[in-house]
Every structure is written in C-alpha cells, then in structure tokens.
Amino acid sequence: MTRKAVSAASPANELSFPFNIRMLLAGWKALYLREGPLQPDSNRSAEWNRGRYLVEGLSHCGACHTPRNRLGGEKKDEYFAGAEVENWTVYPINANSPAPVPWNAESLTFYLRHGWHEHHGASRGSMAPVTANLGSIPEADVRAIAAYVSDVMGHPSQARIARGEAALATARKESDAPFAMRTNSTGNGVGEAIFLSACQGCHDGRRPVPFGGLNLHLSSAVNAANAQNIINVTLFGLPAAKGEPSAIMPAYHGVLNPDQLVALLDYMRDRFSDQPAWTDTRERVTATMSGEREVPIYRMDGTTQAPPETSMRTTPWP
Amino acid sequence: MAVNLTVNGKTHRVDADPETPLLYVLRDNLELNGAKYGCGIGQCGACTVMVDDEAVLSCVTPVLLLKGRRVTTVEGLGTLEKPGPMQQAFIEEQAAQCGYCIPGMMMRAQALLQADPSVTEAVIRAHLEPNLCRCGTHMRIIKAVMRAGALMRQNSQGGGAT
C-alpha cells in the first residue's frame, strides 16, 4: 500500500433520546412506511399520475401540509389539512384552503414555479425554499404537481368563486383609489391607524406582487386559523434573497409593542376577512416577541423569478 | 395635531399628524437631517435611526407608535467638537463617498455595537444587510464599524465617555 490507513470514526449521534436509538425506527417504519411503487390510477390522466407520484414522493408536500400525530406520522384521514411547522402556519391545501381567490391548476403552476402570484402573494417562510427549488425543475413536472394538488382541493363552489371575484374587485378598487382605504374607516382606532400609516403604503395593491405587497383582501394569511404568519412577517420582515433580486419586506419588531401588534392584527382580521376573530392572538404575539415561539427566518429565495415584462418594452415605441 | 417625541434625550412637542412617518417629523419638524429619504418603503436603510436600543426604519414608522420611546439619531451620537466613537471611527476611516447612506449605516451599527461591542466582521456584515450603499463604500464602512467597536471597548475599559 502506498497510503497509510486513516482512522476516521463516524461522528457521535447528536439526536436526543429516544431518537438516537436507530432500532426504534423499525417500529416507526412498521407503522408508517408504505413500501413499493406507487400504482398509477388508470382513471386519471398521465399528468395527474405524474403529479401524484411527485407529490407523494420527492415533493412530499404532505410532510408540512398534512398534520401529524404524536408519533410524527402523517394523519392520512386529514390529508393536506394544514399544520403548524417551525412556528409557521402551513395552510390547508385541500377543500379548506383559506385563499380568498380559489387556487386552480394554472395559478398553482405559476405560483410554484415563480414563487409569487398576483392573486395570492409571495411564497415566504418555510415555503420560500420550496418554490426556489421548483423554479428550476422542468415546467411539465410543476404542472403535474399543480394538477394533482388542485384536484385534491377540488372544484370550488359557485359561492366561493363569487367571494373570490368580490375580493378581487375590492382589491382593484382600492389600488385605483388608494385613499379609498381611508374613507372606509371602521373606526377601529389604533389598529387602523397603524395599518394606514405603516402598512398601506406597500399593501394597497398599486404596485403588483412581487414588487409591492399583496392587497390583503386577497391574503390567505388573514383568513388562516391563526395570526402566526402575519405576526412572523410583521415582526421579522422578509429578508431579500442573496445576490438576486427578490421580494422584500421590512421588519417592525423594533417599533411595535405587544398591544400595538395585537391591535393591528385584530384590525386586519376584522377588515380583510369574513371569518370570526382569532382567539389566541395575544398568546402568540407574546410568545413570538419573547422568543418562546422560535421562528426561523427564511430569505425570499423563492421569488427570484421576476414578472416577465418589467421595464423592457415588447412592442415598438410608436 | 400635537405629538410628544423624545429625540436624542430631549422631549419635543411637534405639530404633526400621528400617522406621519418618523422620518418626516425628524427632518421637517425637528430639522434633524441626518436620517435620509432613500426609498420611503423600508427597503434601503437610509432612514435608519434607533428607537430605544433597536435600529428601525423611520420612513415606515408612524410617530403614533413612539409614545414613551426614546429616539436616537446620528446627531445624538456626538458633536462636531466632541464626536462619539462611531462618528470618530467613520471620520478616521474616511468612510463616506456621497454620504447619503452613512447616517443609516452608523445608526444600525450603533445599535449592534451597543449590544455587543466585540462583534466580528461577519456579524457586522450580516447586521448591516438592510442598509444599501450605491457608491460602493462598503469596505470602508465595515472597517469603520470595526474601528468603532474597538473604540467603544477601549472607552469602557478606560472609563472614558462614549
């Protein structure tokens, strides 16, 4: 031998008990690992089957979007019913999607590929790395994923479609006349004052997503089960991607105290959502501001695909 | 409408709508022109000042949020005759070209160093990320902040004024 043998011990396992006992995984796998190839559904299109294959396998959307039981297994009877992961609220992507404008295969494809959609906002939090990655895989695969997921969401009811149209109409009206937001005062005091002075400037919808903030009539976050995501982005902002243009939002933790943030959140829920008021906002605000709820901050890597036409003209200057 | 605001240790009663961003009150009402309007939407950092111990973007901070809070601007870091360590460091490193981003840089760095004057360059780079510089003065700014940290550590050891 021309080389001396090297002793390279594997690093010690750093997982806490009982996760450091590899043998125990056998039990977990017996309960939750389904082995074998996914059988295509012959009643469905090739695209749908490809989508299901990707969603159930490599994309593993359910890893975040399906709630888990105490042993960490996905609850199959609550498929895509949403969950809370790393103190970010992961929305349901089944029939209970909180998006005011219902998703369809086309909007989902665009969103997953570009990291933003004019009717839904920008991909942020733990979703940012997902769209960052999906932006670089073949478009046909993203279409397939979108086809499958939108099928799981199901076709929205007429009532739901109508509500979506109404939300869009309100958002358009507000972008055309930004001070219309002011004249529709709900008299909600400090929450309204904070929103109009600190948030509306970007969030009135006059600058389209991803350049400007989403008009919140279109916001899933405002219609979600709790305020956690809005708490996260308001306190910590949305840091820009490194080295590439991306969406961005400033952080407000230096200027908001808990009472002010709670007032702001209550106002937003009241104004932009038809759903009943959140009940755990103060607990979440206090816990997030103290650090008890630890929130990982993700860069906006998922939004680096700017809209196709920015300042470049595509028609002759006359 | 009258609003009370404590800036650089002094309480002012300013005639401003409570929804007015702090930046406008600082510049128009109090003539503290250090903080600059760069973008107005919290994306460039030229408006950075301190509220209590944190660096904030004054262009997106309405004064109604600041009851009972202490605002510090670059003017509060020292005077021409007696510059504070941050100002001294920036002068010694000649860390400015057009100078527009500099007060914001200084205030963000001040918040960082006040919390821990011995931070490394990597930490300084990460913390200054919200502040943009179009002239490319970044290297000198970083050197100045490192120097300010050294001055602050020196002062606290020697018992000098900060």
mmCIF file with all atom_site columns, all heavy atoms in Angstrom, chain B residues 26-40:
data_model
loop_
_atom_site.group_PDB
_atom_site.id
_atom_site.type_symbol
_atom_site.label_atom_id
_atom_site.label_alt_id
_atom_site.label_comp_id
_atom_site.label_asym_id
_atom_site.label_entity_id
_atom_site.label_seq_id
_atom_site.pdbx_PDB_ins_code
_atom_site.Cartn_x
_atom_site.Cartn_y
_atom_site.Cartn_z
_atom_site.occupancy
_atom_site.B_iso_or_equiv
_atom_site.pdbx_formal_charge
_atom_site.auth_seq_id
_atom_site.auth_comp_id
_atom_site.auth_asym_id
_atom_site.auth_atom_id
_atom_site.pdbx_PDB_model_num
ATOM 1   N N   . LEU B 1 26 ? -38.652 64.047 11.939 1.00 0.00 ? 26 LEU B N   1
ATOM 2   C CA  . LEU B 1 26 ? -37.257 64.353 12.256 1.00 0.00 ? 26 LEU B CA  1
ATOM 3   C C   . LEU B 1 26 ? -36.724 65.447 11.336 1.00 0.00 ? 26 LEU B C   1
ATOM 4   O O   . LEU B 1 26 ? -36.074 66.395 11.792 1.00 0.00 ? 26 LEU B O   1
ATOM 5   C CB  . LEU B 1 26 ? -36.393 63.098 12.106 1.00 0.00 ? 26 LEU B CB  1
ATOM 6   C CG  . LEU B 1 26 ? -36.582 61.995 13.142 1.00 0.00 ? 26 LEU B CG  1
ATOM 7   C CD1 . LEU B 1 26 ? -35.780 60.760 12.760 1.00 0.00 ? 26 LEU B CD1 1
ATOM 8   C CD2 . LEU B 1 26 ? -36.190 62.471 14.529 1.00 0.00 ? 26 LEU B CD2 1
ATOM 9   N N   . ARG B 1 27 ? -36.990 65.321 10.054 1.00 0.00 ? 27 ARG B N   1
ATOM 10  C CA  . ARG B 1 27 ? -36.407 66.249 9.098  1.00 0.00 ? 27 ARG B CA  1
ATOM 11  C C   . ARG B 1 27 ? -37.179 67.554 9.019  1.00 0.00 ? 27 ARG B C   1
ATOM 12  O O   . ARG B 1 27 ? -36.593 68.638 9.067  1.00 0.00 ? 27 ARG B O   1
ATOM 13  C CB  . ARG B 1 27 ? -36.338 65.591 7.711  1.00 0.00 ? 27 ARG B CB  1
ATOM 14  C CG  . ARG B 1 27 ? -35.384 64.411 7.645  1.00 0.00 ? 27 ARG B CG  1
ATOM 15  C CD  . ARG B 1 27 ? -35.328 63.824 6.242  1.00 0.00 ? 27 ARG B CD  1
ATOM 16  N NE  . ARG B 1 27 ? -34.862 64.821 5.301  1.00 0.00 ? 27 ARG B NE  1
ATOM 17  C CZ  . ARG B 1 27 ? -33.595 65.051 5.018  1.00 0.00 ? 27 ARG B CZ  1
ATOM 18  N NH1 . ARG B 1 27 ? -32.650 64.336 5.603  1.00 0.00 ? 27 ARG B NH1 1
ATOM 19  N NH2 . ARG B 1 27 ? -33.270 65.981 4.145  1.00 0.00 ? 27 ARG B NH2 1
ATOM 20  N N   . ASP B 1 28 ? -38.511 67.472 8.887  1.00 0.00 ? 28 ASP B N   1
ATOM 21  C CA  . ASP B 1 28 ? -39.291 68.682 8.643  1.00 0.00 ? 28 ASP B CA  1
ATOM 22  C C   . ASP B 1 28 ? -39.575 69.464 9.911  1.00 0.00 ? 28 ASP B C   1
ATOM 23  O O   . ASP B 1 28 ? -39.495 70.685 9.911  1.00 0.00 ? 28 ASP B O   1
ATOM 24  C CB  . ASP B 1 28 ? -40.619 68.317 7.961  1.00 0.00 ? 28 ASP B CB  1
ATOM 25  C CG  . ASP B 1 28 ? -40.396 67.650 6.611  1.00 0.00 ? 28 ASP B CG  1
ATOM 26  O OD1 . ASP B 1 28 ? -39.261 67.730 6.097  1.00 0.00 ? 28 ASP B OD1 1
ATOM 27  O OD2 . ASP B 1 28 ? -41.350 67.041 6.088  1.00 0.00 ? 28 ASP B OD2 1
ATOM 28  N N   . ASN B 1 29 ? -39.915 68.756 10.991 1.00 0.00 ? 29 ASN B N   1
ATOM 29  C CA  . ASN B 1 29 ? -40.281 69.466 12.214 1.00 0.00 ? 29 ASN B CA  1
ATOM 30  C C   . ASN B 1 29 ? -39.064 69.761 13.087 1.00 0.00 ? 29 ASN B C   1
ATOM 31  O O   . ASN B 1 29 ? -38.959 70.825 13.682 1.00 0.00 ? 29 ASN B O   1
ATOM 32  C CB  . ASN B 1 29 ? -41.291 68.657 13.027 1.00 0.00 ? 29 ASN B CB  1
ATOM 33  C CG  . ASN B 1 29 ? -42.595 68.456 12.294 1.00 0.00 ? 29 ASN B CG  1
ATOM 34  O OD1 . ASN B 1 29 ? -42.672 67.665 11.374 1.00 0.00 ? 29 ASN B OD1 1
ATOM 35  N ND2 . ASN B 1 29 ? -43.629 69.189 12.680 1.00 0.00 ? 29 ASN B ND2 1
ATOM 36  N N   . LEU B 1 30 ? -38.156 68.824 13.207 1.00 0.00 ? 30 LEU B N   1
ATOM 37  C CA  . LEU B 1 30 ? -37.043 68.969 14.141 1.00 0.00 ? 30 LEU B CA  1
ATOM 38  C C   . LEU B 1 30 ? -35.734 69.341 13.454 1.00 0.00 ? 30 LEU B C   1
ATOM 39  O O   . LEU B 1 30 ? -34.721 69.534 14.117 1.00 0.00 ? 30 LEU B O   1
ATOM 40  C CB  . LEU B 1 30 ? -36.863 67.664 14.934 1.00 0.00 ? 30 LEU B CB  1
ATOM 41  C CG  . LEU B 1 30 ? -38.076 67.227 15.748 1.00 0.00 ? 30 LEU B CG  1
ATOM 42  C CD1 . LEU B 1 30 ? -37.832 65.904 16.429 1.00 0.00 ? 30 LEU B CD1 1
ATOM 43  C CD2 . LEU B 1 30 ? -38.435 68.297 16.787 1.00 0.00 ? 30 LEU B CD2 1
ATOM 44  N N   . GLU B 1 31 ? -35.738 69.399 12.150 1.00 0.00 ? 31 GLU B N   1
ATOM 45  C CA  . GLU B 1 31 ? -34.534 69.744 11.371 1.00 0.00 ? 31 GLU B CA  1
ATOM 46  C C   . GLU B 1 31 ? -33.341 68.890 11.740 1.00 0.00 ? 31 GLU B C   1
ATOM 47  O O   . GLU B 1 31 ? -32.194 69.349 11.712 1.00 0.00 ? 31 GLU B O   1
ATOM 48  C CB  . GLU B 1 31 ? -34.215 71.237 11.523 1.00 0.00 ? 31 GLU B CB  1
ATOM 49  C CG  . GLU B 1 31 ? -35.270 72.084 10.837 1.00 0.00 ? 31 GLU B CG  1
ATOM 50  C CD  . GLU B 1 31 ? -34.899 73.544 10.731 1.00 0.00 ? 31 GLU B CD  1
ATOM 51  O OE1 . GLU B 1 31 ? -33.720 73.874 10.947 1.00 0.00 ? 31 GLU B OE1 1
ATOM 52  O OE2 . GLU B 1 31 ? -35.796 74.353 10.430 1.00 0.00 ? 31 GLU B OE2 1
ATOM 53  N N   . LEU B 1 32 ? -33.605 67.625 12.067 1.00 0.00 ? 32 LEU B N   1
ATOM 54  C CA  . LEU B 1 32 ? -32.519 66.652 12.256 1.00 0.00 ? 32 LEU B CA  1
ATOM 55  C C   . LEU B 1 32 ? -32.391 65.910 10.935 1.00 0.00 ? 32 LEU B C   1
ATOM 56  O O   . LEU B 1 32 ? -33.053 64.915 10.679 1.00 0.00 ? 32 LEU B O   1
ATOM 57  C CB  . LEU B 1 32 ? -32.866 65.696 13.406 1.00 0.00 ? 32 LEU B CB  1
ATOM 58  C CG  . LEU B 1 32 ? -32.928 66.339 14.783 1.00 0.00 ? 32 LEU B CG  1
ATOM 59  C CD1 . LEU B 1 32 ? -33.561 65.404 15.784 1.00 0.00 ? 32 LEU B CD1 1
ATOM 60  C CD2 . LEU B 1 32 ? -31.528 66.745 15.240 1.00 0.00 ? 32 LEU B CD2 1
ATOM 61  N N   . ASN B 1 33 ? -31.518 66.453 10.083 1.00 0.00 ? 33 ASN B N   1
ATOM 62  C CA  . ASN B 1 33 ? -31.489 65.981 8.700  1.00 0.00 ? 33 ASN B CA  1
ATOM 63  C C   . ASN B 1 33 ? -30.523 64.840 8.452  1.00 0.00 ? 33 ASN B C   1
ATOM 64  O O   . ASN B 1 33 ? -30.231 64.514 7.299  1.00 0.00 ? 33 ASN B O   1
ATOM 65  C CB  . ASN B 1 33 ? -31.166 67.158 7.769  1.00 0.00 ? 33 ASN B CB  1
ATOM 66  C CG  . ASN B 1 33 ? -32.283 68.180 7.798  1.00 0.00 ? 33 ASN B CG  1
ATOM 67  O OD1 . ASN B 1 33 ? -33.448 67.817 7.725  1.00 0.00 ? 33 ASN B OD1 1
ATOM 68  N ND2 . ASN B 1 33 ? -31.921 69.441 7.927  1.00 0.00 ? 33 ASN B ND2 1
ATOM 69  N N   . GLY B 1 34 ? -30.019 64.220 9.487  1.00 0.00 ? 34 GLY B N   1
ATOM 70  C CA  . GLY B 1 34 ? -29.122 63.079 9.312  1.00 0.00 ? 34 GLY B CA  1
ATOM 71  C C   . GLY B 1 34 ? -29.819 61.930 8.608  1.00 0.00 ? 34 GLY B C   1
ATOM 72  O O   . GLY B 1 34 ? -29.348 61.419 7.589  1.00 0.00 ? 34 GLY B O   1
ATOM 73  N N   . ALA B 1 35 ? -30.966 61.517 9.139  1.00 0.00 ? 35 ALA B N   1
ATOM 74  C CA  . ALA B 1 35 ? -31.728 60.434 8.516  1.00 0.00 ? 35 ALA B CA  1
ATOM 75  C C   . ALA B 1 35 ? -32.212 60.905 7.150  1.00 0.00 ? 35 ALA B C   1
ATOM 76  O O   . ALA B 1 35 ? -32.667 62.027 7.007  1.00 0.00 ? 35 ALA B O   1
ATOM 77  C CB  . ALA B 1 35 ? -32.911 60.065 9.411  1.00 0.00 ? 35 ALA B CB  1
ATOM 78  N N   . LYS B 1 36 ? -32.088 60.038 6.148  1.00 0.00 ? 36 LYS B N   1
ATOM 79  C CA  . LYS B 1 36 ? -32.366 60.435 4.780  1.00 0.00 ? 36 LYS B CA  1
ATOM 80  C C   . LYS B 1 36 ? -33.552 59.668 4.192  1.00 0.00 ? 36 LYS B C   1
ATOM 81  O O   . LYS B 1 36 ? -33.825 58.536 4.568  1.00 0.00 ? 36 LYS B O   1
ATOM 82  C CB  . LYS B 1 36 ? -31.143 60.153 3.882  1.00 0.00 ? 36 LYS B CB  1
ATOM 83  C CG  . LYS B 1 36 ? -29.867 60.809 4.335  1.00 0.00 ? 36 LYS B CG  1
ATOM 84  C CD  . LYS B 1 36 ? -29.821 62.279 3.955  1.00 0.00 ? 36 LYS B CD  1
ATOM 85  C CE  . LYS B 1 36 ? -28.476 62.899 4.256  1.00 0.00 ? 36 LYS B CE  1
ATOM 86  N NZ  . LYS B 1 36 ? -28.380 63.400 5.619  1.00 0.00 ? 36 LYS B NZ  1
ATOM 87  N N   . TYR B 1 37 ? -34.211 60.273 3.233  1.00 0.00 ? 37 TYR B N   1
ATOM 88  C CA  . TYR B 1 37 ? -35.253 59.588 2.461  1.00 0.00 ? 37 TYR B CA  1
ATOM 89  C C   . TYR B 1 37 ? -34.578 58.936 1.268  1.00 0.00 ? 37 TYR B C   1
ATOM 90  O O   . TYR B 1 37 ? -34.110 59.616 0.361  1.00 0.00 ? 37 TYR B O   1
ATOM 91  C CB  . TYR B 1 37 ? -36.298 60.605 1.995  1.00 0.00 ? 37 TYR B CB  1
ATOM 92  C CG  . TYR B 1 37 ? -37.427 59.985 1.210  1.00 0.00 ? 37 TYR B CG  1
ATOM 93  C CD1 . TYR B 1 37 ? -38.655 59.730 1.813  1.00 0.00 ? 37 TYR B CD1 1
ATOM 94  C CD2 . TYR B 1 37 ? -37.274 59.648 -0.142 1.00 0.00 ? 37 TYR B CD2 1
ATOM 95  C CE1 . TYR B 1 37 ? -39.688 59.162 1.095  1.00 0.00 ? 37 TYR B CE1 1
ATOM 96  C CE2 . TYR B 1 37 ? -38.303 59.072 -0.853 1.00 0.00 ? 37 TYR B CE2 1
ATOM 97  C CZ  . TYR B 1 37 ? -39.514 58.827 -0.230 1.00 0.00 ? 37 TYR B CZ  1
ATOM 98  O OH  . TYR B 1 37 ? -40.530 58.258 -0.942 1.00 0.00 ? 37 TYR B OH  1
ATOM 99  N N   . GLY B 1 38 ? -34.514 57.594 1.266  1.00 0.00 ? 38 GLY B N   1
ATOM 100 C CA  . GLY B 1 38 ? -33.899 56.917 0.129  1.00 0.00 ? 38 GLY B CA  1
ATOM 101 C C   . GLY B 1 38 ? -34.933 56.247 -0.751 1.00 0.00 ? 38 GLY B C   1
ATOM 102 O O   . GLY B 1 38 ? -34.852 56.286 -1.958 1.00 0.00 ? 38 GLY B O   1
ATOM 103 N N   . CYS B 1 39 ? -35.920 55.599 -0.107 1.00 0.00 ? 39 CYS B N   1
ATOM 104 C CA  . CYS B 1 39 ? -36.919 54.878 -0.888 1.00 0.00 ? 39 CYS B CA  1
ATOM 105 C C   . CYS B 1 39 ? -38.320 55.106 -0.341 1.00 0.00 ? 39 CYS B C   1
ATOM 106 O O   . CYS B 1 39 ? -39.287 55.001 -1.066 1.00 0.00 ? 39 CYS B O   1
ATOM 107 C CB  . CYS B 1 39 ? -36.617 53.386 -0.920 1.00 0.00 ? 39 CYS B CB  1
ATOM 108 S SG  . CYS B 1 39 ? -36.803 52.580 0.708  1.00 0.00 ? 39 CYS B SG  1
ATOM 109 N N   . GLY B 1 40 ? -38.412 55.370 0.952  1.00 0.00 ? 40 GLY B N   1
ATOM 110 C CA  . GLY B 1 40 ? -39.714 55.587 1.569  1.00 0.00 ? 40 GLY B CA  1
ATOM 111 C C   . GLY B 1 40 ? -40.505 54.330 1.846  1.00 0.00 ? 40 GLY B C   1
ATOM 112 O O   . GLY B 1 40 ? -41.627 54.402 2.328  1.00 0.00 ? 40 GLY B O   1
#
